[in-house]
């Protein structure tokens, strides 16, 4: 019934709030949200990949592109055109606007620091570390990239 759905949603919301508090207790740092961390990292990695050669350059570039899935998904879930939003976000970060992020309330890109959109650093670092470890295991298993 609808009451059970409401209770389940309330339970998930409380759980999410407790997870945020737990993250802040473990690592007391906040960063701006709206996909800025992933976009900035993707832009820097893409620039660095141009300085590399061979398989290393390809892997770094692929990692950068994979990071852009996060702002892409955020834009898509907000009902925005994800290709246009991520392209504009990448452009703003490349020009030095490191606090530019996806503002889902106004359906535009704005300064997330000024908007007060924050999230625990631990959420980002955990997600990136787990994803990286997973990819490394897959590559080792498939012998796609030989390990030294």
């Amino acid at each position: 019934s609808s009451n059970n759905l409401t209770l389940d949603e309330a339970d998930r919301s409380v759980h999410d709030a407790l997870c945020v508090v737990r993250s802040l207790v473990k690592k007391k740092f906040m960063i701006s949200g709206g996909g800025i961390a992933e976009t900035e990292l993707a832009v820097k990695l893409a620039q660095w990949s141009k300085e590399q050669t061979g398989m290393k350059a390809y892997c770094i570039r692929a990692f950068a592109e994979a990071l852009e899935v996060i702002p892409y998904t955020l834009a898509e879930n907000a009902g925005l055109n994800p290709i246009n939003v991520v392209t504009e976000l990448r452009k703003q970060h490349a020009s030095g606007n490191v606090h530019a992020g996806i503002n889902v309330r106004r359906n535009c890109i704005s300064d997330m620091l000024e908007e007060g959109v924050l999230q625990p650093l631990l959420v980002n670092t955990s997600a990136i570390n787990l994803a990286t470890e997973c990819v490394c295991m897959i590559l080792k298993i498939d012998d796609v990239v030989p390990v030294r």
Side-chain angles (χ1 to χ4, degrees):
S1 73
S2 64
N3 288 340
N4 286 338
L5 292 174
T6 305
L7 288 173
D8 288 344
E9 187 59 35
D11 184 53
R12 279 191 292 275
S13 295
V14 169
H15 180 265
D16 290 348
L18 289 173
C19 287
V20 169
V21 170
R22 181 185 59 85
S23 295
L24 289 172
V25 168
K26 281 186 165 186
K27 198 175 246 185
K28 297 176 176 76
F29 297 100
M30 299 284 283
I31 60 172
S32 297
I36 70 159
E38 296 84 1
T39 303
E40 184 65 18
L41 191 54
V43 166
K44 296 296 184 191
L45 285 172
Q47 290 170 351
W48 185 48
S49 73
K50 293 175 184 173
E51 300 169 8
Q52 307 303 313
T53 58
M55 184 61 76
K56 186 176 182 180
Y58 179 77
C59 290
I60 294 167
R61 180 67 193 157
F63 193 90
E65 289 173 4
L67 285 170
E68 289 183 341
V69 169
I70 295 167
Y72 184 96
T73 304
L74 181 60
E76 193 172 44
N77 288 343
L80 303 170
N81 182 329
I83 295 172
N84 292 345
V85 169
V86 171
T87 302
E88 178 62 26
L89 202 53
R90 190 183 311 127
K91 177 182 156 192
Q92 287 197 26
H93 277 260
S95 67
N97 187 3
V98 296
H99 295 291
I102 302 168
N103 188 331
V104 297
R105 292 183 190 145
R106 296 184 186 165
N107 291 337
C108 66
I109 294 174
S110 61
D111 189 312
M112 293 290 100
L113 197 57
E114 286 180 8
E115 297 286 338
V117 178
L118 302 172
Q119 65 186 34
L121 174 64
L122 185 62
V123 172
N124 286 64
T125 55
S126 295
I128 291 170
N129 287 337
L130 289 172
T132 303
E133 289 172 10
C134 180
V135 169
C136 289
M137 286 190 322
I138 291 169
L139 292 175
K140 286 178 185 176
I141 291 168
D142 291 345
D143 288 326
V144 175
V145 176
V147 179
R148 292 181 186 187

